[in-house]
Amino acid sequence: MMRKFSAVLFALALVGPSVGAAQASIGVGGQYLSFGGSDFDPIDAGMGLEANVMFPAGKAFMVGASGQWSTHNDANLSDNMTALGIFAEGRYLFRSASGSKLTPFVGVRGGWSKGTETAQASELGFSTGSVDLSTTGFVFGGGAGVMIALSPSMSLDVNGMMHTVSFGDFHAKGNLDGAPVDQDISGSKSSGTALQLRAGLSIKLGGGAK
């Protein structure tokens, strides 16, 4: 899944110069992600990676795609949970007419997310085996941040986003006590919030960037 997303970002980066070389950018960085709500009580906040490709849509708007991956401790299981998200994202930039190195912005985003983890047989009341658990859902959110220019072509991108998240039932696949398991777990839907803090480098594509 991460290889597929990397291929999408690379393809978007290649077409970026033809869609507005002056301001198109690609960004990479780290993220802190914390889930909120009673459905996520066993899940600790985690750290991970984030990448994005943004294109100009007028003087002050940027639109693009972003993806994120993080890992989280689950109090109920010995293995960590991993969370993957792929988003469409838009930003409105408050550009300075005085040439300030700081460019504040507000943003909105929405997309698809997947959570995966592995449960060992002993954690489920069985003797042998394990099952892989996965769930998918939708995420919507918004927030604000600031771009800090480090050079004409590179900026530090720092922002925070608050999301609403909604996941479907977990699907379990594996083997427990010699019996195959491949089924949805009824009643395991979850919903809540997710606070994300991101920091990374944004690199402009094309020599004409300002």
Side-chain angles (χ1 to χ4, degrees):
M1 180 62 71
M2 287 301 291
R3 287 194 296 269
K4 290 181 180 179
F5 175 68
S6 297
V8 171
L9 284 181
F10 181 68
L12 287 172
L14 289 180
V15 301
S18 66
V19 186
Q23 296 179 36
S25 65
I26 184 167
V28 292
Q31 64 151 337
Y32 164 90
L33 186 65
S34 177
F35 292 99
S38 58
D39 289 346
F40 298 106
D41 281 346
I43 308 299
D44 290 344
M47 303 294 291
L49 303 174
E50 190 268 348
N52 63 75
V53 179
M54 304 295 291
F55 304 109
K59 292 183 178 181
F61 287 96
M62 299 285 286
V63 296
S66 63
Q68 61 190 59
W69 172 91
S70 58
T71 180
H72 306 260
N73 179 64
D74 185 337
N76 294 329
L77 301 175
S78 57
D79 289 345
N80 282 0
M81 183 196 82
T82 61
L84 172 69
I86 300 175
F87 299 87
E89 186 165 344
R91 296 179 177 183
Y92 180 84
L93 284 69
F94 298 92
R95 298 190 184 276
S96 171
S98 62
S100 172
K101 291 184 178 294
L102 304 181
T103 304
F105 65 86
V106 293
V108 294
R109 64 204 306 251
W112 170 91
S113 187
K114 181 177 183 178
T116 58
E117 53 189 325
T118 298
Q120 303 301 319
S122 59
E123 297 167 333
L124 302 174
F126 294 86
S127 298
T128 61
S130 64
V131 292
D132 294 325
L133 304 172
S134 63
T135 181
T136 60
F138 297 96
V139 183
F140 301 94
V146 62
M147 303 286 289
I148 306 170
L150 303 177
S151 74
S153 61
M154 182 181 297
S155 297
L156 178 63
D157 183 353
V158 180
N159 62 81
M161 297 281 172
M162 177 61 78
H163 310 80
T164 60
V165 298
S166 179
F167 290 98
D169 284 333
F170 272 94
H171 183 81
K173 187 173 184 178
N175 188 289
L176 294 171
D177 287 351
V181 176
D182 190 357
Q183 65 185 59
D184 290 336
I185 303 174
S186 179
S188 61
K189 291 182 174 67
S190 58
S191 61
T193 62
L195 171 65
Q196 181 191 43
L197 303 177
R198 301 185 289 181
L201 294 178
S202 177
I203 302 170
K204 295 179 181 178
L205 303 175
K210 293 183 178 181

